[in-house]
Amino acid sequence: MKKFIILPDVTCDLSEELRTGFGLEDYIEGYVHFSDGRDLKTTLDWSNISREEFYKTLSNKKMEVSTAPASPEDYYEFYKKYAEQGYDILAMSISSKISSTHNVAAGAAKRVMEEYPDCNIYCFDSLRMAGALGLLVIYALQLKKDGKTMDEIIAWLEENKHKVHQMGPIDDLIFVARRGRISMGKAIMGNFAGVKPMGDCNREGYVTVLTKAKGMNKALALTVEYAKAVSTDIENQYVLVSHSNRQAYAETLADMVKKELNPKEVFISDVFSGSGTNVGPGMVGLYFLGAEISEDLVNEKAIMAKLTEK
């Protein structure tokens, strides 16, 4: 079997502990720009900027923050490095509906394969982002450890990408308002009342709010109940808890999941700067496998409606 490497982009949000544990050898960074003139690499750590400073900066209404994927030339050089070493490449990217990253990666892959005909590069469009992409990367790495071929891993990923669900609250509505998703008045009132929007990702990777819980304790409990209702065979699953500067809540949710759902393993990771710029501070999300996501989240909305009727 020809050697191959799994190369996700930085939006997979996997901590150093997870990358080391599952054998992720490399990933491609992006860029974050601050309106005060700073330009930094987006990395899967806080070496360029601390977690607290980054999320504090996002909350500053005077500061505009934006991200960009690696450039076509960055991707070309990245893939070329492994092609020269005789690797095939399984590239994994954030949803093509959310970011241009996948298209940039695919363009670079085509260029490299033309120059290195023996190198096969498959650009997997996850149709997911952040922890949802991260969970797919975890499974891909485990399958590789189990001796699966690149083609077998690709087949699994394509079959299961629409089965990755997300649920959890966000408790900073001011950032949501700054992004234009709700009015500032509603954000202020929602924060005051303790309202926590909670959503799952649709088939393109965008998060749709399914309900609003009042208070973090209720929101976390509802997250577990939703996972219980939507997941399939969760006792044999890896699940991932991601958070944007809410470590304590993430640990609480992980403990609840372990106690009530008993999955094979629960991991906690940050939402790093590549995804965090769009997610914002205050998110706690649980990622797991379940039934295939329905069109317009019809089934998921019905499940949540039943849970909130109780």
Side-chain angles (χ1 to χ4, degrees):
M1 181 174 69
K2 186 178 179 183
K3 64 182 181 180
F4 67 95
I5 188 167
I6 296 171
L7 297 175
D9 71 59
V10 71
T11 63
C12 66
D13 285 337
L14 294 180
S15 67
E16 181 179 5
E17 181 181 4
L18 286 171
R19 299 196 308 276
T20 300
F22 282 95
L24 181 62
E25 299 172 70
D26 207 348
Y27 66 93
I28 189 158
E29 301 167 343
Y31 300 94
V32 60
H33 173 73
F34 300 89
S35 59
D36 62 6
R38 287 178 294 164
D39 289 293
L40 303 174
K41 285 283 190 76
T42 53
T43 60
L44 291 176
D45 56 38
W46 298 110
S47 57
N48 291 337
I49 185 171
S50 72
R51 178 208 288 168
E52 291 72 21
E53 182 184 354
F54 175 73
Y55 282 109
K56 184 179 179 180
T57 301
L58 286 185
S59 298
N60 180 357
K61 65 180 181 180
K62 296 180 180 180
M63 185 75 70
E64 295 296 328
V65 185
S66 60
T67 57
S71 70
E73 194 64 25
D74 289 337
Y75 264 101
Y76 168 75
E77 293 295 338
F78 189 65
Y79 293 157
K80 179 182 174 182
K81 175 177 67 174
Y82 289 101
E84 289 177 338
Q85 297 175 48
Y87 285 94
D88 283 343
I89 298 169
L90 170 51
M92 301 179 66
S93 69
I94 184 176
S95 171
S96 62
K97 305 296 184 181
I98 295 173
S99 168
S100 64
T101 301
H102 176 73
N103 291 334
V104 173
K110 181 179 179 182
R111 184 178 166 193
V112 170
M113 286 189 287
E114 287 172 351
E115 296 181 18
Y116 297 85
D118 292 335
C119 177
N120 176 38
I121 304 176
Y122 187 88
C123 292
F124 170 68
D125 181 1
S126 71
L127 294 174
R128 293 287 167 269
M129 69 170 289
L133 170 58
L135 187 61
L136 288 170
V137 174
I138 284 172
Y139 275 107
L141 292 167
Q142 184 59 53
L143 288 169
K144 185 182 179 187
K145 278 187 172 185
D146 293 341
K148 301 298 183 182
T149 66
M150 189 166 105
D151 285 344
E152 288 173 323
I153 296 172
I154 291 167
W156 188 93
L157 290 170
E158 293 291 358
E159 180 181 352
N160 287 279
K161 65 185 180 183
H162 286 304
K163 298 178 182 178
V164 181
H165 291 262
Q166 168 186 332
M167 183 48 60
I170 187 163
D171 71 356
D172 188 339
L173 300 187
I174 301 299
F175 179 84
V176 176
R178 288 186 62 215
R179 286 282 173 169
R181 297 169 193 163
I182 61 173
S183 71
M184 188 58 72
K186 286 184 177 179
I188 293 170
M189 291 302 295
N191 276 356
F192 181 76
V195 173
K196 316 295 181 187
M198 304 177 64
D200 201 346
C201 39
N202 66 17
R203 291 181 66 85
E204 294 183 342
Y206 288 101
V207 176
T208 298
V209 173
L210 301 188
T211 193
K212 297 174 184 177
K214 194 166 183 180
M216 187 58 80
N217 290 340
K218 185 174 181 180
L220 296 181
L222 186 55
T223 297
V224 175
E225 289 302 309
Y226 183 81
K228 191 181 298 184
V230 174
S231 63
T232 53
D233 192 28
I234 199 164
E235 294 84 359
N236 293 306
Q237 284 191 38
Y238 296 126
V239 300
L240 177 64
V241 175
S242 293
H243 71 96
S244 52
N245 205 24
R246 294 296 185 271
Q247 180 76 36
Y249 287 137
E251 291 174 358
T252 297
L253 179 57
D255 288 342
M256 293 169 68
V257 169
K258 290 174 187 176
K259 181 179 178 180
E260 299 185 40
L261 302 180
N262 192 33
K264 179 162 62 175
E265 205 154 356
V266 181
F267 306 110
I268 299 175
S269 189
D270 282 89
V271 177
F272 294 98
S273 56
S275 298
T277 301
N278 295 305
V279 171
M283 189 276 286
V284 183
L286 177 66
Y287 300 89
F288 58 92
L289 294 174
E292 185 163 317
I293 290 170
S294 59
E295 291 291 343
D296 298 320
L297 292 169
V298 171
N299 295 340
E300 291 76 14
K301 290 174 182 176
I303 290 169
M304 182 59 83
K306 287 183 179 179
L307 291 175
T308 53
E309 284 173 0
K310 294 180 179 179

